[in-house]
């Protein structure tokens, strides 16, 4: 989130000398700067001066631009004096580029040690001007000599961090419609300089997040933005040329990069902020805040006049509009609560959650995801979401109420998954986001799982207690505007306990069909796949029951058939099952190894709720499944044709033995289950169904702009 003082009267400008690039980020006000970038210390400047002196003092010292393969990007650096920081910038580029590049340096009439430094530069093209022509003309002169498809403008006081440049290039290549990509700019002090920038309706601008912690989640997800600073801006070179380069009508500098990005948008292309590309930018190395302010005020009228038609649709300058304006997409915003950042490998319905998040993110809706139980932003799944444009946030220390209040009016819809999360947020949503429409995702009807589990364990149940659990869970759903159920069976249960007007939709699992490679005779063993995350009781009970009570009889008839248990976070009592007959693997990244080698999947659940992903996943790999009635519930799969359902322990043992031995039956079930997955789990159809549900509850349409 934006800090309270983020709408400073300062021009939010990562600035350099007039001869270097400047992002022209004036804040809405036009008064003199009230805040500036943190100043670098004298000792730091002294260290840079010493490094330069040491380099130039060695007659044999040189800097070589590597040429390993065809260059992927042309890097244009405009420099005017400040040789020490230029040495640091070039050294960081050479050390951290991570790909082949061509370097073009424009010396804009420097009269310090810079000409001598550039004379020690091998493998680069150096353009020497006899006088300071200003950044804009110099940058255009450098770009005219570029030969690569991609063009990076890099300030001579900007340091490239490892991996940043390849990621910017990949983003420009892969993000649909991208024409320019900017980086996260951070001061050497570690504070944020810019996470993309906003252009307001009056032509002023704001560097989003200026002065804040760069690791705050609000600055760590990929976004479409109005513009990014030219301190580190990657552009499609053909697009840059077609736009006429930087507009030299802006004089020596300022507003030229905002102007270029406006041209990118006007051309039908997009400007994208890539948060994982981090550039350390010194700022104000050869300029002052006052000079930057004056140049911005000089150029702003030209910018506002040139783009007056486009600016009419931008947000008015206001602290209340920052959240809306930070993301260029004009779609609605959706807030989602679930247990954790989801990945399919965790089981427990998280595979379905992952598809849900991915589908919403890819639909164009702006999305914030908040994990409420496992509050760890695990790098790999979090990166997957943030790179898909999802803002992933932890509840702040001040609590959910403060967070929701800070986002009042921002979200048009909220999606809450699982009853324990609904208990935390439903009342708060009514108080702080009263206008948001709420969807409750019933990943499963939990009270049924609790009741069945108690019965299996032989616990006496108080009918009044059961009714209380049921009523409580259904009341949470009743507080929503609509409910999404995982199966038609559970949707019926929900409808029977909620008001007749409550919309209840069904949305299940998505699976690609994995055509099986290994034939019947090359397979052996029976397999169970399921997570034991947080001691997942249904899976834990099923595995122990099969291993201890059913497997001995199965092995008496099948001989050396093993029971292989695959799943994350096996509990201690599951690990204790390990033996020559029972293999407990723990987490396995590539499940296809087991689905291709095992002959049969068993799902002997004695209690549970919802639809079992482990069943449909096994079906998608063409491995016949023997399931209990609980495991098969809600699928609508044909017993004996698409699945084998066993009503009790004796029937389960018999079904495993028959399915394991009978080759004709095995192939019949395999063909049936693959056809079932094609009909019911096609990813494109499942994703389309979710979007239809969302749009049925929340009619589409852009967020209306506030009045002037």
């Amino acid at each position: 989130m934006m800090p309270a003082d983020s709408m400073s009267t300062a021009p939010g400008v990562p600035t350099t000398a007039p001869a270097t690039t400047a992002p022209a980020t004036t804040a809405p006000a036009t008064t003199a700067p009230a805040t500036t970038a943190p100043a670098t210390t004298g000792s730091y400047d002294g260290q840079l001066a010493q490094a330069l002196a040491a380099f130039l003092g060695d007659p044999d010292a040189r800097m070589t631009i590597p040429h390993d393969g065809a260059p992927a990007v042309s890097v244009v650096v405009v420099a005017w004096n400040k040789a020490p920081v230029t040495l640091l910038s070039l050294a960081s580029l050479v050390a951290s580029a991570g790909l082949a590049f061509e370097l073009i340096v424009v010396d804009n009439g420097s009269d310090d040690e810079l000409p001598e430094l550039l004379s020690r530069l091998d493998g680069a093209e150096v353009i020497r001007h006899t006088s300071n022509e200003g950044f804009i003309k110099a940058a255009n002169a450098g770009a005219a000599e570029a030969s690569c498809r991609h063009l990076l403008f890099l300030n001579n006081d900007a340091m490239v961090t490892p991996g940043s440049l390849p990621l910017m290039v990949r983003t420009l290549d892969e993000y649909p419609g991208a024409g320019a990509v900017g980086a996260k700019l951070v001061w050497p002090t570690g504070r944020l300089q810019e996470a993309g920038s906003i252009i307001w309706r009056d032509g002023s601008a704001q560097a989003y997040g200026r002065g804040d912690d760069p690791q705050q989640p609000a600055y760590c997800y990929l976004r479409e933005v109005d513009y990014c600073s030219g301190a580190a801006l990657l552009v499609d070179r053909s697009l840059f040329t077609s736009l006429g380069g930087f507009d030299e009508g802006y004089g020596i500098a300022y507003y030229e990069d905002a102007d270029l990005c406006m041209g990118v948008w006007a051309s039908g292309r997009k400007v994208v902020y890539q948060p994982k590309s981090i550039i350390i930018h010194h700022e104000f190395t050869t300029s002052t805040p006052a000079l930057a302010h004056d140049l911005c005020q000089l150029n702003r009228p030209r910018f506002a006049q040139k783009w007056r038609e486009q600016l009419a649709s931008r947000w008015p300058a206001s602290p209340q509009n920052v959240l809306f304006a930070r993301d260029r997409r004009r779609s609605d915003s959706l807030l989602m609560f679930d247990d954790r950042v989801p990945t399919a490998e965790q089981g427990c319905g998280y595979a379905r959650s992952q598809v849900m998040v991915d589908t919403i993110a890819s639909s164009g809706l702006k999305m914030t995801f908040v994990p409420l139980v496992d509050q760890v932003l695990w790098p790999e799944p979090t990166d997957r979401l943030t790179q898909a444009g999802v803002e992933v946030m932890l509840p702040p220390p001040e609590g959910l109420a403060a967070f929701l209040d800070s986002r009042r009016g921002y979200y048009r819809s909220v999606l809450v998954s699982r009853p324990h999360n609904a208990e935390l947020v439903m009342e708060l949503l009514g108080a702080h986001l009263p206008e948001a429409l709420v969807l409750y995702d019933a990943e499963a009807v939990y009270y049924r799982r609790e009741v069945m589990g108690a019965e299996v364990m032989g616990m006496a149940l108080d009918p009044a207690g059961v009714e209380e659990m049921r009523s409580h869970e259904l009341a949470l759903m009743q507080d929503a505007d609509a409910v999404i159920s995982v199966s038609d069976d559970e949707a019926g249960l929900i409808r029977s306990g909620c008001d007749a007007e409550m919309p209840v939709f069904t949305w299940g699992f998505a699976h690609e069909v994995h055509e099986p490679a290994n034939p019947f005779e090359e397979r052996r063993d029976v397999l169970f796949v399921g997570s034991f995350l947080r001691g997942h009781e249904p899976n834990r009970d099923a595995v122990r029951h099969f291993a201890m009570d059913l497997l001995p009889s199965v092995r008496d008839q099948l001989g050396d058939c093993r029971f292989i248990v695959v799943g994350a976070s096996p509990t201690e009592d599951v690990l204790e099952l390990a033996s020559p007959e029972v293999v407990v693997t723990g987490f396995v990244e590539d499940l296809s190894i087991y689905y291709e080698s095992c002959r049969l999947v068993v799902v002997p659940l004695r209690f549970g709720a919802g639809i079992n992903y482990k069943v449909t996943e096994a079906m998608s790999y063409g491995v016949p499944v023997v399931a209990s009635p609980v495991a098969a519930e809600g699928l609508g799969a044909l017993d004996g044709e698409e699945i084998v359902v066993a009503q009790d322990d004796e029937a389960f043992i018999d079904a495993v033995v028959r399915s394991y031995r009978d080759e004709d039956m095995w192939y019949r079930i395999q063909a049936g289950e693959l056809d079932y997955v094609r009909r019911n789990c096609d990813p494109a159809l499942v994703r389309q169904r979710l979007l239809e549900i969302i749009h049925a509850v929340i009619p589409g349409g852009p967020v209306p702009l506030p009045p002037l």
Side-chain angles (χ1 to χ4, degrees), residues 236-492:
D236 180 297
R237 184 168 66 90
S238 63
L239 177 60
F240 180 81
T241 301
S242 70
L243 294 173
F246 288 121
D247 185 343
E248 297 183 5
Y250 289 104
I252 56 176
Y254 291 95
Y255 266 101
E256 76 289 333
D257 49 2
D259 178 270
L260 177 70
C261 290
M262 286 292 283
V264 170
W265 281 108
S267 75
R269 305 281 288 276
K270 300 173 181 179
V271 181
V272 181
Y273 161 69
Q274 175 50 264
K276 294 189 70 178
S277 293
I278 300 172
I279 303 295
I280 311 300
H281 185 214
H282 286 72
E283 193 178 38
F284 295 123
T285 53
T286 55
S287 184
T288 65
L291 177 58
H293 175 269
D294 290 345
L295 290 171
C296 286
Q297 297 313 306
L298 179 66
N299 285 335
R300 176 175 153 187
R302 173 184 174 84
F303 177 82
Q305 175 62 25
K306 179 177 178 179
W307 299 106
R308 61 188 182 281
E309 293 183 8
Q310 289 79 2
L311 291 174
S313 64
R314 307 312 306 140
W315 290 91
S318 166
Q320 288 72 39
N321 291 337
V322 169
L323 279 173
F324 296 93
R326 64 179 179 163
D327 191 326
R328 177 84 179 202
R329 294 175 296 173
R330 299 304 300 273
S331 62
D332 293 332
S333 295
L334 180 145
L335 172 63
M336 180 173 176
F337 293 101
D338 201 349
D339 287 354
R340 60 174 293 157
V341 179
T343 60
E345 297 82 5
Q346 296 152 352
C348 305
Y350 295 121
R352 181 173 174 274
S353 297
Q354 179 177 327
V355 174
M356 180 174 283
V357 176
D358 291 347
T359 300
I360 294 171
S362 64
S363 73
L365 284 171
K366 291 183 281 192
M367 184 179 191
T368 302
F369 182 91
V370 180
L372 293 175
V373 176
D374 184 350
Q375 295 183 10
V376 177
L377 300 185
W378 302 101
E380 185 173 344
T382 301
D383 282 353
R384 180 177 53 79
L385 291 192
T386 56
Q387 287 293 295
V390 177
E391 180 184 32
V392 181
M393 301 194 73
L394 294 178
E398 59 269 27
L400 279 172
F403 166 70
L404 294 174
D405 198 53
S406 72
R407 298 291 177 101
R408 187 182 291 267
Y410 179 62
Y411 298 108
R412 190 172 182 187
S413 57
V414 182
L415 197 157
V416 184
S417 185
R418 307 171 205 266
H420 47 274
N421 296 322
E423 287 178 338
L424 289 173
V425 304
M426 281 299 193
E427 186 175 343
L428 292 173
L429 292 175
H432 299 281
L433 299 180
E435 297 178 357
L437 294 166
V438 180
L439 287 80
Y440 176 84
D441 174 39
E443 173 267 333
V445 177
Y446 274 52
Y447 82 86
R448 297 182 63 243
R449 179 185 297 166
E450 299 300 318
V451 170
M452 285 189 284
E455 291 174 346
V456 167
M457 301 304 172
M459 298 170 58
L461 294 173
D462 175 16
V466 172
E467 178 57 28
E468 183 179 355
M469 283 192 293
R470 172 185 174 277
S471 298
H472 177 66
E473 186 169 353
L474 292 174
L476 291 171
M477 300 182 197
Q478 189 64 58
D479 286 341
D481 294 288
V483 176
I484 303 175
S485 176
V486 74
S487 72
D488 289 335
D489 289 351
E490 292 202 344

